[in-house]
Short mmCIF file of all heavy atoms in Angstrom, two decimals:
data_model
loop_
_atom_site.label_atom_id
_atom_site.label_comp_id
_atom_site.label_asym_id
_atom_site.label_seq_id
_atom_site.Cartn_x
_atom_site.Cartn_y
_atom_site.Cartn_z
N SER A 30 77.91 36.87 -40.75
CA SER A 30 77.90 36.67 -42.20
C SER A 30 76.85 35.63 -42.58
O SER A 30 76.92 34.49 -42.12
CB SER A 30 79.27 36.24 -42.70
OG SER A 30 80.24 37.24 -42.44
N PRO A 31 75.89 35.98 -43.44
CA PRO A 31 74.84 35.04 -43.82
C PRO A 31 75.15 34.25 -45.08
O PRO A 31 75.88 34.71 -45.96
CB PRO A 31 73.64 35.96 -44.06
CG PRO A 31 74.26 37.19 -44.64
CD PRO A 31 75.61 37.34 -43.95
N THR A 32 74.58 33.06 -45.16
CA THR A 32 74.53 32.29 -46.39
C THR A 32 73.12 31.74 -46.54
O THR A 32 72.40 31.55 -45.55
CB THR A 32 75.54 31.13 -46.41
OG1 THR A 32 75.30 30.27 -45.29
CG2 THR A 32 76.96 31.66 -46.35
N TYR A 33 72.72 31.47 -47.79
CA TYR A 33 71.35 31.07 -48.09
C TYR A 33 71.31 29.92 -49.06
O TYR A 33 72.16 29.81 -49.95
CB TYR A 33 70.57 32.24 -48.69
CG TYR A 33 70.49 33.45 -47.80
CD1 TYR A 33 71.40 34.49 -47.92
CD2 TYR A 33 69.50 33.54 -46.82
CE1 TYR A 33 71.33 35.59 -47.09
CE2 TYR A 33 69.43 34.64 -45.99
CZ TYR A 33 70.34 35.67 -46.12
OH TYR A 33 70.28 36.76 -45.30
N ALA A 34 70.31 29.08 -48.90
CA ALA A 34 70.01 28.10 -49.92
C ALA A 34 69.57 28.81 -51.19
O ALA A 34 68.98 29.90 -51.14
CB ALA A 34 68.91 27.15 -49.44
N ASP A 35 69.84 28.19 -52.33
CA ASP A 35 69.50 28.82 -53.60
C ASP A 35 68.01 29.16 -53.71
O ASP A 35 67.65 30.17 -54.32
CB ASP A 35 69.90 27.91 -54.76
CG ASP A 35 71.40 27.86 -54.98
OD1 ASP A 35 72.11 28.75 -54.48
OD2 ASP A 35 71.85 26.92 -55.67
N PHE A 36 67.16 28.34 -53.14
CA PHE A 36 65.73 28.54 -53.32
C PHE A 36 65.16 29.69 -52.50
O PHE A 36 63.97 30.01 -52.67
CB PHE A 36 64.96 27.23 -53.02
CG PHE A 36 65.26 26.59 -51.70
CD1 PHE A 36 64.68 27.03 -50.53
CD2 PHE A 36 66.14 25.51 -51.63
CE1 PHE A 36 64.95 26.42 -49.32
CE2 PHE A 36 66.42 24.90 -50.41
CZ PHE A 36 65.82 25.36 -49.26
N VAL A 37 65.96 30.33 -51.65
CA VAL A 37 65.49 31.50 -50.91
C VAL A 37 66.34 32.74 -51.15
O VAL A 37 66.02 33.80 -50.59
CB VAL A 37 65.39 31.23 -49.40
CG1 VAL A 37 64.47 30.04 -49.13
CG2 VAL A 37 66.76 31.00 -48.78
N LYS A 38 67.38 32.64 -51.95
CA LYS A 38 68.24 33.80 -52.20
C LYS A 38 67.42 34.96 -52.76
O LYS A 38 66.58 34.79 -53.63
CB LYS A 38 69.36 33.43 -53.16
CG LYS A 38 70.46 32.63 -52.51
CD LYS A 38 71.57 32.30 -53.49
CE LYS A 38 72.68 31.52 -52.83
NZ LYS A 38 73.72 31.12 -53.79
N ASP A 39 67.70 36.14 -52.25
CA ASP A 39 67.05 37.39 -52.64
C ASP A 39 65.62 37.50 -52.15
O ASP A 39 64.93 38.47 -52.48
CB ASP A 39 67.11 37.61 -54.16
CG ASP A 39 68.52 37.61 -54.70
OD1 ASP A 39 69.40 38.22 -54.06
OD2 ASP A 39 68.74 36.99 -55.75
N ARG A 40 65.16 36.55 -51.37
CA ARG A 40 63.82 36.60 -50.79
C ARG A 40 63.83 36.60 -49.27
O ARG A 40 63.00 37.26 -48.65
CB ARG A 40 62.96 35.44 -51.28
CG ARG A 40 62.74 35.41 -52.78
CD ARG A 40 61.67 34.40 -53.16
NE ARG A 40 62.06 33.04 -52.79
CZ ARG A 40 61.33 32.24 -52.01
NH1 ARG A 40 60.19 32.66 -51.50
NH2 ARG A 40 61.75 31.01 -51.75
N PHE A 41 64.72 35.82 -48.66
CA PHE A 41 64.78 35.66 -47.21
C PHE A 41 66.02 36.36 -46.66
O PHE A 41 67.06 36.43 -47.33
CB PHE A 41 64.86 34.18 -46.81
CG PHE A 41 63.61 33.38 -47.07
CD1 PHE A 41 62.54 33.88 -47.79
CD2 PHE A 41 63.53 32.08 -46.56
CE1 PHE A 41 61.41 33.12 -48.02
CE2 PHE A 41 62.40 31.32 -46.78
CZ PHE A 41 61.34 31.83 -47.52
N THR A 42 65.92 36.83 -45.42
CA THR A 42 67.04 37.46 -44.74
C THR A 42 67.14 36.92 -43.33
O THR A 42 66.20 37.06 -42.54
CB THR A 42 66.90 38.98 -44.70
OG1 THR A 42 66.76 39.50 -46.02
CG2 THR A 42 68.13 39.61 -44.04
N ILE A 43 68.27 36.31 -43.00
CA ILE A 43 68.54 35.84 -41.66
C ILE A 43 69.30 36.94 -40.91
O ILE A 43 70.15 37.62 -41.48
CB ILE A 43 69.33 34.52 -41.67
CG1 ILE A 43 69.48 33.95 -40.25
CG2 ILE A 43 70.67 34.68 -42.33
CD1 ILE A 43 70.07 32.55 -40.22
N SER A 44 68.99 37.12 -39.64
CA SER A 44 69.67 38.12 -38.84
C SER A 44 69.68 37.68 -37.39
O SER A 44 68.96 36.76 -36.99
CB SER A 44 69.03 39.50 -38.99
OG SER A 44 67.69 39.49 -38.55
N ARG A 45 70.50 38.36 -36.61
CA ARG A 45 70.59 38.06 -35.19
C ARG A 45 70.75 39.34 -34.40
O ARG A 45 71.39 40.29 -34.86
CB ARG A 45 71.75 37.09 -34.91
CG ARG A 45 73.12 37.65 -35.28
CD ARG A 45 74.19 36.56 -35.32
NE ARG A 45 74.35 35.92 -34.02
CZ ARG A 45 74.96 34.75 -33.83
NH1 ARG A 45 75.45 34.08 -34.87
NH2 ARG A 45 75.07 34.26 -32.61
N ASP A 46 70.17 39.37 -33.22
CA ASP A 46 70.32 40.47 -32.29
C ASP A 46 70.73 39.84 -30.97
O ASP A 46 69.88 39.48 -30.15
CB ASP A 46 69.04 41.27 -32.17
CG ASP A 46 69.22 42.55 -31.36
OD1 ASP A 46 70.19 42.65 -30.59
OD2 ASP A 46 68.39 43.46 -31.50
N ASN A 47 72.02 39.70 -30.78
CA ASN A 47 72.52 39.00 -29.61
C ASN A 47 72.10 39.69 -28.31
O ASN A 47 71.81 39.02 -27.32
CB ASN A 47 74.04 38.88 -29.66
CG ASN A 47 74.53 37.97 -30.77
OD1 ASN A 47 73.75 37.21 -31.34
ND2 ASN A 47 75.82 38.05 -31.06
N ALA A 48 72.08 41.01 -28.33
CA ALA A 48 71.70 41.75 -27.13
C ALA A 48 70.26 41.48 -26.72
O ALA A 48 69.93 41.56 -25.53
CB ALA A 48 71.91 43.24 -27.33
N GLN A 49 69.39 41.18 -27.68
CA GLN A 49 68.00 40.86 -27.41
C GLN A 49 67.74 39.36 -27.34
O GLN A 49 66.58 38.95 -27.23
CB GLN A 49 67.09 41.49 -28.46
CG GLN A 49 67.11 43.01 -28.45
CD GLN A 49 66.54 43.58 -27.18
OE1 GLN A 49 65.54 43.10 -26.65
NE2 GLN A 49 67.19 44.62 -26.65
N PHE A 50 68.80 38.56 -27.43
CA PHE A 50 68.68 37.11 -27.33
C PHE A 50 67.73 36.55 -28.38
O PHE A 50 67.00 35.57 -28.13
CB PHE A 50 68.24 36.68 -25.93
CG PHE A 50 69.17 37.11 -24.84
CD1 PHE A 50 69.01 38.33 -24.20
CD2 PHE A 50 70.23 36.30 -24.45
CE1 PHE A 50 69.88 38.73 -23.18
CE2 PHE A 50 71.09 36.69 -23.45
CZ PHE A 50 70.92 37.91 -22.81
N THR A 51 67.74 37.12 -29.58
CA THR A 51 66.76 36.79 -30.59
C THR A 51 67.42 36.61 -31.95
O THR A 51 68.33 37.36 -32.31
CB THR A 51 65.68 37.88 -30.68
OG1 THR A 51 65.11 38.09 -29.38
CG2 THR A 51 64.58 37.47 -31.64
N VAL A 52 66.93 35.63 -32.70
CA VAL A 52 67.30 35.45 -34.09
C VAL A 52 66.04 35.58 -34.93
O VAL A 52 64.94 35.28 -34.48
CB VAL A 52 68.02 34.11 -34.35
CG1 VAL A 52 69.29 34.04 -33.52
CG2 VAL A 52 67.10 32.94 -34.02
N TYR A 53 66.21 36.02 -36.18
CA TYR A 53 65.09 36.32 -37.05
C TYR A 53 65.31 35.71 -38.42
O TYR A 53 66.43 35.46 -38.86
CB TYR A 53 64.92 37.83 -37.25
CG TYR A 53 64.73 38.63 -35.99
CD1 TYR A 53 65.81 39.27 -35.39
CD2 TYR A 53 63.48 38.76 -35.42
CE1 TYR A 53 65.64 40.03 -34.25
CE2 TYR A 53 63.30 39.50 -34.27
CZ TYR A 53 64.39 40.14 -33.69
OH TYR A 53 64.21 40.88 -32.55
N MET A 54 64.20 35.50 -39.11
CA MET A 54 64.25 35.29 -40.54
C MET A 54 63.08 36.03 -41.17
O MET A 54 61.92 35.70 -40.94
CB MET A 54 64.22 33.83 -40.95
CG MET A 54 64.53 33.66 -42.43
SD MET A 54 65.01 31.98 -42.87
CE MET A 54 63.47 31.13 -42.55
N GLN A 55 63.41 37.05 -41.95
CA GLN A 55 62.43 37.78 -42.74
C GLN A 55 62.22 37.04 -44.05
O GLN A 55 63.19 36.77 -44.77
CB GLN A 55 62.91 39.21 -43.00
CG GLN A 55 61.97 40.05 -43.84
CD GLN A 55 60.69 40.37 -43.12
OE1 GLN A 55 60.71 40.70 -41.94
NE2 GLN A 55 59.57 40.26 -43.83
N MET A 56 60.98 36.74 -44.37
CA MET A 56 60.64 35.98 -45.56
C MET A 56 59.72 36.82 -46.42
O MET A 56 58.61 37.15 -46.01
CB MET A 56 59.98 34.65 -45.19
CG MET A 56 60.80 33.81 -44.22
SD MET A 56 60.08 32.17 -43.94
CE MET A 56 58.55 32.65 -43.15
N ASN A 57 60.18 37.16 -47.61
CA ASN A 57 59.42 37.96 -48.56
C ASN A 57 59.14 37.16 -49.81
O ASN A 57 59.81 36.16 -50.10
CB ASN A 57 60.18 39.23 -48.92
CG ASN A 57 60.45 40.13 -47.73
OD1 ASN A 57 59.64 40.23 -46.82
ND2 ASN A 57 61.59 40.82 -47.75
N TYR A 58 58.17 37.62 -50.58
CA TYR A 58 57.80 36.99 -51.85
C TYR A 58 57.57 35.50 -51.67
O TYR A 58 58.06 34.67 -52.45
CB TYR A 58 58.86 37.26 -52.91
CG TYR A 58 59.15 38.73 -53.12
CD1 TYR A 58 60.29 39.32 -52.59
CD2 TYR A 58 58.26 39.53 -53.82
CE1 TYR A 58 60.54 40.67 -52.76
CE2 TYR A 58 58.50 40.88 -53.99
CZ TYR A 58 59.65 41.45 -53.46
OH TYR A 58 59.90 42.79 -53.63
N LEU A 59 56.81 35.16 -50.66
CA LEU A 59 56.57 33.76 -50.35
C LEU A 59 55.75 33.09 -51.44
O LEU A 59 54.86 33.70 -52.04
CB LEU A 59 55.86 33.65 -49.01
CG LEU A 59 56.75 33.90 -47.79
CD1 LEU A 59 55.92 34.21 -46.56
CD2 LEU A 59 57.67 32.71 -47.54
N SER A 60 56.05 31.82 -51.66
CA SER A 60 55.31 31.01 -52.60
C SER A 60 54.80 29.76 -51.90
O SER A 60 55.21 29.45 -50.77
CB SER A 60 56.18 30.62 -53.80
OG SER A 60 57.15 29.66 -53.43
N THR A 61 53.91 29.04 -52.57
CA THR A 61 53.37 27.82 -51.97
C THR A 61 54.47 26.81 -51.65
O THR A 61 54.32 26.01 -50.73
CB THR A 61 52.32 27.19 -52.88
OG1 THR A 61 52.89 26.93 -54.17
CG2 THR A 61 51.12 28.11 -53.04
N ALA A 62 55.57 26.82 -52.41
CA ALA A 62 56.67 25.91 -52.16
C ALA A 62 57.37 26.17 -50.83
O ALA A 62 58.13 25.32 -50.36
CB ALA A 62 57.68 25.98 -53.30
N ASP A 63 57.14 27.34 -50.23
CA ASP A 63 57.73 27.65 -48.94
C ASP A 63 56.93 27.11 -47.77
O ASP A 63 57.36 27.27 -46.62
CB ASP A 63 57.89 29.17 -48.79
CG ASP A 63 58.81 29.77 -49.82
OD1 ASP A 63 59.91 29.20 -50.04
OD2 ASP A 63 58.45 30.81 -50.42
N THR A 64 55.80 26.50 -48.02
CA THR A 64 54.99 25.95 -46.95
C THR A 64 55.75 24.83 -46.24
O THR A 64 56.17 23.86 -46.87
CB THR A 64 53.66 25.42 -47.49
OG1 THR A 64 52.90 26.51 -48.02
CG2 THR A 64 52.86 24.73 -46.40
N ALA A 65 55.94 24.96 -44.94
CA ALA A 65 56.72 24.00 -44.16
C ALA A 65 56.67 24.42 -42.70
O ALA A 65 56.23 25.52 -42.36
CB ALA A 65 58.17 23.96 -44.64
N VAL A 66 57.17 23.53 -41.84
CA VAL A 66 57.48 23.90 -40.47
C VAL A 66 58.92 24.39 -40.45
O VAL A 66 59.83 23.72 -40.94
CB VAL A 66 57.30 22.73 -39.50
CG1 VAL A 66 57.68 23.13 -38.08
CG2 VAL A 66 55.85 22.24 -39.53
#
């Protein structure tokens, strides 16, 4: 079950694939305010 900060709602998607030992974050509609590590 995912939860999101307000500033990324409807733009970012967190997911996990336990079988592949991998976690993801899909980031769409990026803005300059998303610049970060």
